[in-house]
Amino acid sequence: TLDRSSAAADVYKRQLSLLLNDGQISPRVLPHLQDSAERLLLSARGFTRSLRLARTIADVDDSPSVALHHLEEALYYRKRE
């Protein structure tokens, strides 16, 4: 419903803002992330889980920020669930 989708949009915006301000996500990744969230119909929880997994993949890769290939890998695993 409208309240639920509005709350989910607020979660997206807050998390993206925090990640961008902390330098944990590359600005180049944003358009792809937003497009993927809409295309895959990710809930706020699914969005958060995907970002967390992308951050973990970046950490394993010893990368200071989430790059596009980290997000793509996280979304690949998300599709397999």
Side-chain angles (χ1 to χ4, degrees):
T1 64
L2 187 55
D3 289 334
R4 188 172 170 190
S5 63
S6 176
D10 288 342
V11 169
Y12 295 149
K13 290 176 188 173
R14 268 196 317 266
Q15 288 182 340
L16 289 176
S17 176
L18 288 172
L19 291 170
L20 280 171
N21 290 338
D22 290 345
Q24 292 185 29
I25 189 168
S26 167
R28 213 178 124 230
V29 174
L30 274 183
H32 186 74
L33 177 61
Q34 292 169 328
D35 178 55
S36 296
E38 291 173 11
R39 189 172 27 87
L40 298 173
L41 301 174
L42 293 179
S43 65
R45 182 178 179 200
F47 181 81
T48 301
R49 291 176 71 195
S50 297
L51 278 177
R52 224 173 31 228
L53 180 56
R55 179 67 257 173
T56 300
I57 293 167
D59 286 342
V60 169
D61 201 23
D62 202 26
S63 176
S65 66
V66 174
L68 185 56
H69 64 277
H70 300 131
L71 177 65
E72 288 172 343
E73 186 175 347
L75 292 172
Y76 169 77
Y77 292 127
R78 174 94 184 138
K79 290 178 196 175
R80 296 185 71 201
E81 289 181 351

